[in-house]
């Protein structure tokens, strides 16, 4: 493994962004809760440590503190917001509440040179940052000096050059701090002296070694969904262990047009990976008959998938391991910032958790990667761009894009409308500019006139959003001419729809699926 940075999480909602920025600089990193044991910290073997922000107040005695090991390990430490405050409080400085608060855009004045700012923020300049604090440092620990100030923070950036301890009151990880990523890169490369040589080629080699070591001569089954995560996981595992892997595609009838055939062609035809294709649409539609509640639909789909998947696994003689496309955000979110395990089990595109009766161990080769890194690994493995760059698709598929009862007729109508919509997006060269685009068949029918006849058909809604993290989203600003063309095609080509609307709602943090 290359150089490693450890990020200790104090509960900030943007801690994952710190990790993304560090990895973008070519340095591998992981996130652990602030109260991880000293044994766990030592086992990780960090070459540098970053303390995240958090919602608590250092002025209260029961709030989180950094392990003393952090300051005794002899490696560089960067404290961000709460991380800076607890570092100062623990090393002999002072933090107080009730002073001028700063939330949102602010400006810092750089009045001393600092390795953290080298080549990015020169002495004597004023720079924009993003602040989010109510408390602030009011006196520094011995050995520290002030590097930058802001209106609400007299110690907006501090440095102890001897011990290589640095602290910033602002958030360099967010896009609202221009050049913040460059500051984090300075910390990893200039301050810590790390090489920045972590690449997907390096990860691929390391992951293959780990898969072989874990699996040995055992057999692995992997549930394919047609999505990026399970596809990349399957190809990576196959490269490691060959025909010890068998993939199972449970076609629940809720996929996009032609998607199941594409998966079969790619994995069975191109990669020659053993693949079982089970057409289970009757099983799923039968159990979903008359069900309208979205959460109930999810549970039915998840339970039915497991039943069908297990049937097919038994037919091939079972396996020792179950492969899943679990990603790093899933790992982080399964543990609270206080370190306690979550009661929520990761439900991947197809696999709704791991039933105890299946008695298989998990193989999760992507659990250290973010979504954009999975796409990069897919390209490294030679997967086609049409798959690697595919928009996210929810596990329950089209079931949550048909509010209300699901029928075969509704699925056919929605599949056709969705296909027309995505076809026009691709023709316009917009697919890669949009994070997610899809059609929804609303539980509404309207009267219209088509030609010389009166119609009574469904309303179709179109949605397209831009997003960088999948947590917040803004509607994509299509030109009117484009929407007019899409609507005309859908009305003309898809029998059963006589009206099309475009959803321009933006989404706050949370799911951006339609449900």
């Amino acid at each position: 493994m290359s150089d490693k940075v450890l990020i200790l999480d104090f509960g900030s909602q943007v801690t994952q962004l710190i990790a993304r920025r560090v990895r973008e600089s070519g340095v591998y990193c992981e996130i652990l809760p602030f109260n991880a044991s000293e044994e766990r910290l030592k086992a990780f073997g960090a070459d540098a440590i970053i303390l995240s922000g958090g919602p608590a107040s250092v002025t209260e005695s029961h709030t989180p503190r950094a392990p003393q090991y952090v300051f005794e390990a002899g490696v560089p430490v960067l404290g961000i917001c709460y991380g800076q405050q607890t570092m100062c409080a623990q090393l002999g400085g002072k933090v107080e509440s009730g002073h001028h608060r700063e939330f949102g855009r602010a400006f810092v004045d750089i009045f001393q040179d600092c390795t953290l700012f080298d080549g990015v923020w020169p002495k004597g300049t004023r720079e924009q940052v993003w602040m989010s604090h109510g408390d602030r440092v009011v006196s520094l620990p011995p050995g520290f000096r002030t590097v930058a100030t802001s209106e609400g923070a007299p110690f907006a950036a501090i440095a102890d050059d001897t011990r290589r301890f640095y602290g910033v009151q602002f958030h360099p990880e967010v896009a609202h701090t221009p050049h913040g990523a460059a500051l984090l890169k300075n910390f990893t490369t200039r301050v810590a002296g790390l090489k920045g040589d972590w690449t997907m080629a390096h990860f691929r080699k390391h992951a293959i070694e780990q898969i072989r070591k874990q699996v040995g001569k055992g057999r692995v089954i992997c549930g394919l969904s047609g999505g990026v995560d399970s596809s990349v996981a399957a190809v990576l595992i196959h490269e490691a262990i060959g025909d010890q892997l068998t993939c199972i595609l449970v076609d629940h009838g809720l996929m996009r047009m032609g998607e199941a055939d594409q998966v079969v062609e790619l994995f069975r035809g191109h990669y020659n990976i053993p693949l079982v294709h089970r057409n289970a649409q009757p099983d799923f539609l039968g159990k979903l008959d008359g069900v309208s509640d979205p959460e109930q639909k999810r549970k039915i789909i998840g339970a039915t998938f497991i039943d069908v998947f297990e049937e097919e696994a038994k037919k091939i003689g079972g396996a020792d391991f179950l492969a899943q496309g679990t990603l790093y955000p899933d790992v982080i979110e399964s543990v609270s910032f206080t370190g306690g395990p979550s009661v929520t089990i990761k439900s991947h595109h197809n696999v709704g958790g791991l039933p105890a009766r299946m008695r298989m161990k998990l193989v999760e080769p992507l659990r250290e990667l973010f979504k954009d890194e999975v796409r990069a690994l897919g390209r490294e493995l030679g997967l086609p761009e049409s798959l690697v760059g595919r928009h996210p698709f929810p596990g329950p598929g089209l079931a949550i894009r048909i509010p209300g009862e699901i029928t075969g007729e509704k699925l056919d109508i929605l599949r056709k409308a969705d296909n027309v919509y995505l076809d026009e997006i691709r023709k316009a060269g917009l697919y890669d500019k949009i994070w997610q685009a899809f059609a929804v068949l609303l539980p509404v029918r309207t009267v219209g006139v088509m030609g010389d006849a009166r119609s009574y058909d469904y309303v179709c809604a179109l949605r397209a959003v831009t997003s960088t993290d999948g947590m917040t989203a803004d509607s994509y600003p299509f030109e009117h001419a484009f929407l007019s063309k899409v609507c005309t095609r859908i009305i003309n080509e898809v029998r059963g729809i006589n009206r099309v609307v475009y959803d321009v709602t933006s989404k706050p943090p949370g799911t951006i699926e339609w449900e």
Side-chain angles (χ1 to χ4, degrees), residues 109-246:
D109 294 305
I110 319 299
F111 66 91
Q112 286 199 30
D113 290 323
C114 173
T115 306
L116 193 64
F117 294 165
D118 277 354
V120 182
W121 287 353
K123 176 182 177 180
T125 61
R126 166 170 280 202
E127 304 293 343
Q128 178 184 313
V129 298
W130 189 261
M131 293 281 194
S132 181
H133 68 97
D135 298 349
R136 70 179 187 181
V137 176
V138 294
S139 67
L140 295 180
F144 280 84
R145 63 189 177 91
T146 306
V147 175
T149 63
S150 73
E151 182 178 345
F155 304 107
I158 59 175
D160 180 333
D161 304 285
T162 302
R163 289 182 289 183
R164 295 184 295 172
F165 291 172
Y166 296 83
V168 292
Q169 184 60 72
F170 55 87
H171 288 271
E173 68 272 28
V174 302
H176 306 79
T177 299
H179 312 300
L183 298 185
L184 289 171
K185 185 175 182 178
N186 267 359
F187 176 70
T188 60
T189 57
R190 298 198 182 200
V191 173
L194 308 185
K195 295 184 291 293
D197 60 352
W198 187 72
T199 63
M200 276 302 111
H202 181 281
F203 176 87
R204 174 184 182 180
K205 180 181 178 182
H206 175 72
I208 288 173
E209 291 173 356
Q210 291 299 111
I211 293 167
R212 289 172 177 166
K213 181 179 179 181
Q214 179 186 5
V215 172
K217 296 182 179 180
R219 298 182 63 191
V220 181
I221 55 174
C222 176
L224 282 179
S225 69
V228 178
D229 304 340
S230 63
S231 297
V232 172
V235 173
L236 180 65
I237 294 169
H238 184 257
E239 185 168 305
I241 61 173
D243 288 350
Q244 289 172 247
L245 168 72
T246 299

Side-chain angles (χ1 to χ4, degrees), residues 6-9 15-16 19 29-33 40 328 332 370:
L6 173 62
I7 301 167
L8 287 184
D9 182 21
T15 298
Q16 289 189 32
C29 67
E30 288 187 18
I31 300 171
L32 291 179
R40 193 175 182 188
Y328 197 43
I332 298 168
F370 289 101

Side-chain angles (χ1 to χ4, degrees), residues 358-406:
M358 293 183 75
R359 297 181 180 178
M360 289 185 286
K361 298 177 182 178
L362 286 176
V363 178
E364 300 172 305
L366 310 181
R367 64 181 284 115
E368 297 173 351
L369 300 183
F370 289 101
K371 187 76 172 189
D372 55 333
E373 293 170 333
V374 174
R375 295 187 193 279
L377 177 60
R379 296 182 180 100
E380 173 70 24
L381 291 166
L383 280 160
E385 189 62 33
S386 59
L387 174 63
V388 173
R390 181 170 292 174
H391 290 178
F393 192 60
L398 300 180
I400 63 169
R401 294 177 182 170
I402 301 178
E405 185 180 356
I406 299 171

